[in-house]
Amino acid sequence: MKKQAIVYLLTFITLMTGCGLENNSDSLNDSENSTETIVENTENTENTDTESIISNKTNDKITIADEKETPSYYAKNDDSVEILKISAVYPVITIDGNTTASKKINDSIKSEMDTFRNFEKENAKEAEELYQMSLDSMTEFFPYSAEFSYTLKRCDNRVISIVFHQNDYTGGAHGNYWSYGVTFDAKTGERLYLESLTTDYAAFYQMLLDKLAAQADLPAYQNYLYDGQTVDVDHTLLNDSASWYFDRSGISFISNPYVLGPYVSGIFEFNIPYEELPGLKESYAYEKTYIRKLFPGVSVKHDINGDGAADEICYSILSDENFENAMPSLIINEKDFSSEFNNLHLSYLYTGAYYLIDINPDDTYIELAISSEDTESLEKSCTHFFRYDSSNQLVYLGNLDGIFSEDMQVSYNSNGNLILFDRKGDIIRK
């Protein structure tokens, strides 16, 4: 991993200026357990407080356990001065009856953690030097910090796909953050690369290149890309082994700060659904409940009201050239439904994706999920749900606390109210 931009993040900073046209779950159970682990402290300046296995997520054959590490580095001549504080959480995966695959996956994850730990040891040396300089110059020293976490994007008997996130503050006006994807074959434990996904890589590669280039040309992405520069998705995305991941929607490619756009653009993604991936091996396809993740400002054609005709949908965030006066926009079949947001008091518009999701497979509708994400006050974040009904009207279904993600399931209870489930089927919020 490199400090500037290795590969991707969890939260997008999205400011959309319009809609471009793009044509058109599996179960992982959650449970809670607690165990203890011992992490060997191999450096005198590092104090480690390790909390291990804080939660378990399981399906019939796969268990994901979170392991947490919170080491700190202190000044060599003053152990009361913390120069670098670290918070890290990573998964430990157990595939029932397949110890070989489990070991391969966990060894790969351990390698990622080793890279992170070594990276922070170098940062600690730099922080120590800066601290000593501050003593000589009588200037204020600002401690370094680092966070490492993960998001489980897809986990079934075919694919386990994880996005790791890293956020480092090493002085200056802001920290550096990035994310990257690591994907495994759940049967063999082997790490998957783009060339692993198809039997005709040349054709598959060209298809990905064409689709990514076409998305980059959409108006929705123009405010994120470097001005006046050719968009090189070939070198920056397709030739980066950790720039992509699978979720229930399809394959996503990650652009970290400084990759295709400046720091202010944050992290943004390009998404290609499974139905638009000719040549993908059947063994990696996803065939459960319909879900489609979309970058704000990108439109899609899909029958969402069950009348047999494709509807064109686009949710975007409109703003001026200075990214001010932002307001949400929703267009369905050329009809503007933006006024539906007036009474929702969206606290923070800049969310990373909107979704088409099939809340109830027994009816003919596909619903819309639009999040209002507040990164500074997470308790204010929520996701709103809508239905475009057979009379071509937009019906507000309600909202749930938090930001909807591919790792969640939404359904109705017996009273017709929305309920958010984990992959096991246990209620998270209602």
Side-chain angles (χ1 to χ4, degrees):
M1 293 183 293
K2 298 179 182 178
K3 183 178 294 185
Q4 287 294 321
I6 304 203
V7 267
Y8 169 59
L9 156 62
L10 170 67
T11 306
F12 308 92
I13 306 170
T14 52
L15 292 165
M16 297 293 92
T17 58
C19 295
L21 175 61
E22 180 188 292
N23 289 331
N24 169 151
S25 300
D26 43 73
S27 298
L28 179 67
N29 300 336
D30 290 343
S31 62
E32 296 251 332
N33 282 313
S34 176
T35 66
E36 295 181 355
T37 191
I38 298 175
V39 174
E40 182 179 358
N41 186 357
T42 59
E43 184 158 332
N44 292 333
T45 58
E46 179 182 0
N47 294 336
T48 303
D49 173 21
T50 300
E51 302 171 27
S52 177
I53 317 302
I54 58 174
S55 70
N56 276 350
K57 303 175 182 178
T58 66
N59 93 5
D60 292 339
K61 294 185 177 181
I62 304 173
T63 301
I64 318 294
D66 292 343
E67 187 151 323
K68 185 177 181 181
E69 297 179 7
T70 57
S72 290
Y73 287 83
Y74 293 87
K76 291 181 178 179
N77 61 352
D78 188 347
D79 60 9
S80 68
V81 178
E82 187 178 49
I83 59 173
L84 171 61
K85 183 175 183 179
I86 298 173
S87 174
V89 60
Y90 60 94
V92 177
I93 295 174
T94 302
I95 304 174
D96 223 13
N98 195 341
T99 56
T100 300
S102 301
K103 185 178 185 307
K104 285 182 179 179
I105 293 172
N106 288 323
D107 284 348
S108 181
I109 293 172
K110 288 177 183 177
S111 178
E112 299 300 327
M113 279 302 299
D114 287 342
T115 300
F116 168 72
R117 294 186 189 105
N118 291 332
F119 184 81
E120 296 311 328
K121 284 181 181 179
E122 293 302 313
N123 278 343
K125 293 178 182 178
E126 183 180 292
E128 173 70 26
E129 294 175 359
L130 190 63
Y131 171 68
Q132 295 300 330
M133 290 174 58
S134 72
L135 296 178
D136 296 336
S137 61
M138 300 297 291
T139 58
E140 186 176 3
F141 169 73
F142 294 96
Y144 283 15
S145 64
E147 296 178 359
F148 187 90
S149 62
Y150 78 96
T151 301
L152 186 66
K153 290 294 187 176
R154 179 176 166 185
C155 185
D156 53 50
N157 61 2
R158 294 181 169 189
V159 167
I160 296 175
S161 195
I162 304 166
V163 170
F164 291 104
H165 318 288
Q166 188 166 341
N167 191 338
D168 280 81
Y169 176 75
T170 55
H174 58 72
N176 290 303
Y177 59 89
W178 61 91
S179 299
Y180 62 99
V182 179
T183 299
F184 304 96
D185 185 311
K187 291 183 173 63
T188 67
E190 297 291 339
R191 181 169 173 182
L192 295 177
Y193 299 91
L194 290 179
E195 52 266 35
S196 313
L197 307 181
T198 180
T199 57
D200 185 354
Y201 184 55
F204 192 74
Y205 187 95
Q206 188 61 50
M207 176 272 298
L208 292 175
L209 181 61
D210 292 343
K211 289 185 179 295
L212 291 173
Q215 286 191 34
D217 282 340
L218 295 174
Y221 286 92
Q222 295 310 302
N223 284 337
Y224 294 83
L225 303 171
Y226 283 118
D227 289 337
Q229 293 189 20
T230 301
V231 179
D232 184 8
V233 295
D234 190 358
H235 174 73
T236 57
L237 301 183
L238 292 178
N239 285 297
D240 186 335
S241 62
S243 70
W244 66 275
Y245 66 88
F246 277 134
D247 58 23
R248 291 189 291 155
S249 175
I251 190 170
S252 293
F253 288 84
I254 306 158
S255 175
N256 281 298
Y258 306 121
V259 175
L260 292 176
Y263 182 88
V264 69
S265 293
I267 294 173
F268 55 94
E269 288 189 345
F270 301 86
N271 316 111
I272 306 172
Y274 289 110
E275 59 265 31
E276 295 181 14
L277 290 174
L280 177 68
K281 290 180 181 177
E282 178 61 26
S283 55
Y284 302 132
Y286 183 82
E287 298 176 333
K288 302 264 178 108
T289 306
Y290 180 81
I291 181 171
R292 177 72 187 275
K293 177 174 63 176
L294 292 155
F295 190 62
V298 174
S299 63
V300 64
K301 286 187 175 181
H302 192 85
D303 180 11
I304 62 173
N305 65 358
D307 65 358
D311 303 295
E312 184 173 356
I313 309 103
C314 182
Y315 172 75
S316 60
I317 300 171
L318 306 180
S319 66
D320 58 27
E321 293 182 356
N322 297 317
F323 300 116
E324 297 177 350
N325 303 313
M327 57 186 298
S329 170
L330 176 62
I331 308 295
I332 303 178
N333 294 333
E334 300 184 352
K335 182 176 180 180
D336 191 342
F337 290 97
S338 304
S339 61
E340 300 291 335
F341 297 104
N342 291 344
N343 296 324
L344 297 182
H345 306 293
L346 302 187
S347 58
Y348 196 81
L349 294 174
Y350 312 136
T351 190
Y354 73 103
Y355 292 86
L356 303 184
I357 60 172
D358 191 359
I359 294 180
N360 182 8
D362 293 330
D363 65 27
T364 59
Y365 294 108
I366 300 294
E367 286 79 13
L368 283 80
I370 296 173
S371 295
S372 171
E373 182 176 11
D374 193 329
T375 57
E376 296 180 355
S377 302
L378 295 179
E379 69 277 3
K380 296 180 181 179
S381 298
C382 68
T383 300
H384 301 276
F385 296 86
F386 302 86
R387 172 184 294 159
Y388 183 65
D389 66 17
S390 56
S391 62
N392 301 327
Q393 298 300 312
L394 191 68
V395 179
Y396 183 61
L397 302 177
N399 67 78
L400 293 168
D401 292 341
I403 303 302
F404 178 80
S405 72
E406 303 89 341
D407 198 40
M408 301 174 181
Q409 311 281 355
V410 181
S411 187
Y412 301 106
N413 63 13
S414 58
N415 296 322
N417 296 319
L418 291 170
I419 304 176
L420 189 63
F421 293 92
D422 60 25
R423 287 175 176 256
K424 176 183 176 182
D426 291 336
I427 295 175
I428 301 175
R429 289 182 292 272
K430 60 181 179 179

